[in-house]
Amino acid sequence: MQRSDGSVVGIGYGGDGGDGGDRKDIVLSILIPTYNESENIPQLLRSIRDGLHSLLKQLDAKAEIIIVDDDSPDGTADVAEGYSTSIRDEGRLSVKVLRRYGKRGLLSAVLDGLKTAQGSNVVVMDADLSHPPALIPVMLDELMHDRCDLVIASRYVDGGSVENWSMKRKALSISANMIARMILNLDVKDAVSGFFACKRWILEGIEFTTSGYKILLEVLVKVDNIRVKEIPYTFVNRCHGKSKFSTKIAIEYLRAVWLLYRYGRKRRRGERRGSVLFLSRAARFYTVGATGLLVNYGSASLASMLTNMHIATLVGILCSITSNFILNKLWTFEDTDLAVIYTLKQYSYYMGLSSVGGALQFLLTYLLNHIYGMQYNLALLIAIGLASTWNFLSNKKWTFKERIWG
Ligand code: GDD
Ligand code: MN
């Protein structure tokens, strides 16, 4: 099969020897990404068959296993195809082997598998027997009885655990999970589980934007109002083959959390009412302005000990403009785009617009006081009010690219 991105994907079918059977009969697609798992495949397939046997019989339904292999040098795909006939279970279970060329990653393997999946429910799991196949019928049962929409096999609920992991790997997993739960505000115990089941439409409705390991994380962040259930299991470290976990994957993970955090924030922002947003931005902007006075005074006093008065005044002004800019970017306007060139450009806009504000204040005070004979203090107050309003609105629009209202 020739794909739009130019790569070639081959699919081999086994088990029921055809198109996987009548669509409406398939209650479950088990998506398994593989890379060098030939030693684990036989036991994996047998355990899945044995685990599902009675439930499929009782439901009079079919299930399919979709192995998505990235051209493993150890012949994983061939081994899987070789076993497909022996696990047919009277035609109730089929094995599709999707061969991709080049090692292209876990997430995209699952998504490619999903494209060919026909079951109304899907399970995503690893091939290395770390995820006990005996749990699959329990998960399916939950979904079939409509007790929830997503079942997470969880290491961190009561009764769940991890066996034979090094302290380092344990610590990594626990911190990865903590980071995700806190930053993304998730109400599940094992947000980074690689073993879960859900209705197929849930996965199909998501536009996945991160790469790497964290399929479940993206589901939890992007799908609203689904009923999630966690069931405990013991993660057993693989006996055969090697884990593909690496520093690169850890970095990709942090990037994924960051992207999902931004995604969530954008969405929440979209939900907020314009008036609420405008007022909260204004309140923050003026608070930052007040801190700027302190920074201005503090840094100028410090500088005056080292240099002459004029330079010290200038230092004070520069320091307060800079600290105001940083606080306004990160806090007032919640701008998370920290690209250097972009930020410098914003900084120069900020300086420019604030200088216009300064000039405006100067001019207004002069006009009101000298020409209209207004009392100096009152003139100053009005000028500061107008200049800071200019600063807020113009920076909102041009520096931080927001609409004036909202
Ligand atoms: N097709 C394909 N392509 N499969 C891959 C690739 C790839 O590039 N990399 C890994 N896999 C397959 C493996 O063959 C295995 O079946 C599964 O993806 C998980 O890979 P492991 O290398 O065994 O991952 P792990 O044990 O370190 O991590 C697992 O546990 C984590 C829990 O902390 C995964 O399940 C993670 O998703 C999970 O977060
Ligand atoms: Mn593993």
Side-chain angles (χ1 to χ4, degrees), residues 33 35 37 70 126-128 155 169 192 214 238 243-244:
Y35 191 75
E37 304 286 4
D70 280 357
D126 295 348
D128 57 1
R155 295 161 292 179
R169 187 69 210 261
V192 293
K214 298 289 71 83
R238 56 162 74 234
S243 162
K244 284 92 203 167

Side-chain angles (χ1 to χ4, degrees), residues 62-238:
K62 292 177 182 173
E64 60 178 359
I65 299 173
I66 303 177
I67 304 261
V68 189
D69 187 62
D70 280 357
D71 202 19
S72 302
D74 76 346
T76 303
D78 294 336
V79 174
E81 255 170 19
Y83 268 84
S84 55
T85 337
S86 68
I87 67 136
R88 286 186 49 150
D89 196 15
E90 295 160 9
R92 288 194 196 93
L93 197 58
S94 65
V95 179
K96 270 185 208 170
V97 180
L98 227 141
R99 295 168 190 260
R100 308 195 308 166
Y101 296 101
K103 189 170 183 294
R104 311 232 308 269
L106 180 57
L107 175 66
S108 76
V110 173
L111 296 184
D112 272 350
L114 186 66
K115 282 182 206 148
T116 76
Q118 297 183 313
S120 40
N121 301 288
V122 285
V123 162
V124 176
M125 71 187 297
D126 295 348
D128 57 1
L129 301 165
S130 290
H131 298 157
L135 218 58
I136 299 174
V138 182
M139 295 166 122
L140 181 60
D141 197 52
E142 292 287 338
L143 295 173
M144 298 282 295
H145 283 96
D146 207 25
R147 286 193 281 264
C148 58
D149 308 301
L150 169 67
V151 193
I152 303 174
S154 173
R155 295 161 292 179
Y156 303 125
V157 288
D158 273 351
S161 62
V162 175
E163 250 175 34
N164 298 336
W165 255 8
S166 66
M167 281 307 285
K168 184 178 151 204
R169 187 69 210 261
K170 257 189 202 157
L172 272 174
S173 168
I174 289 174
S175 15
N177 196 31
M178 233 162 64
I179 290 173
R181 291 177 53 210
M182 278 166 54
I183 294 186
L184 302 175
N185 200 14
L186 299 175
D187 191 24
V188 295
K189 293 273 188 282
D190 195 348
V192 293
S193 176
F195 190 16
F196 62 92
C198 63
K199 311 263 168 79
R200 193 182 72 196
W201 62 261
I202 292 183
L203 291 185
E204 284 177 337
I206 298 178
E207 195 190 329
F208 286 88
T209 47
T210 70
S211 62
Y213 267 33
K214 298 289 71 83
I215 301 160
L216 179 62
L217 216 52
E218 205 148 343
V219 177
L220 290 170
V221 171
K222 293 191 172 173
V223 188
D224 293 319
N225 303 323
I226 49 168
R227 294 160 302 158
V228 181
K229 187 163 182 177
E230 284 184 273
I231 53 176
Y233 84 104
T234 299
F235 182 104
V236 197
N237 202 10
R238 56 162 74 234

Side-chain angles (χ1 to χ4, degrees), residues 299-355:
S299 53
S301 314
L302 270 178
S304 68
M305 294 182 212
L306 304 167
T307 174
N308 71 47
M309 217 178 70
H310 298 299
I311 298 187
T313 306
L314 204 66
V315 168
I317 291 174
L318 278 177
C319 284
S320 61
I321 288 188
T322 309
S323 74
N324 281 2
F325 169 70
I326 295 171
L327 288 173
N328 277 326
K329 179 171 169 78
L330 297 179
W331 185 54
T332 307
F333 294 101
E334 300 173 80
D335 180 354
T336 49
D337 188 344
L338 302 179
V340 178
I341 303 285
Y342 178 65
T343 305
L344 285 176
K345 200 169 136 194
Q346 282 182 314
Y347 184 52
S348 62
Y349 270 55
Y350 188 82
M351 289 254 215
L353 293 168
S354 307
S355 308

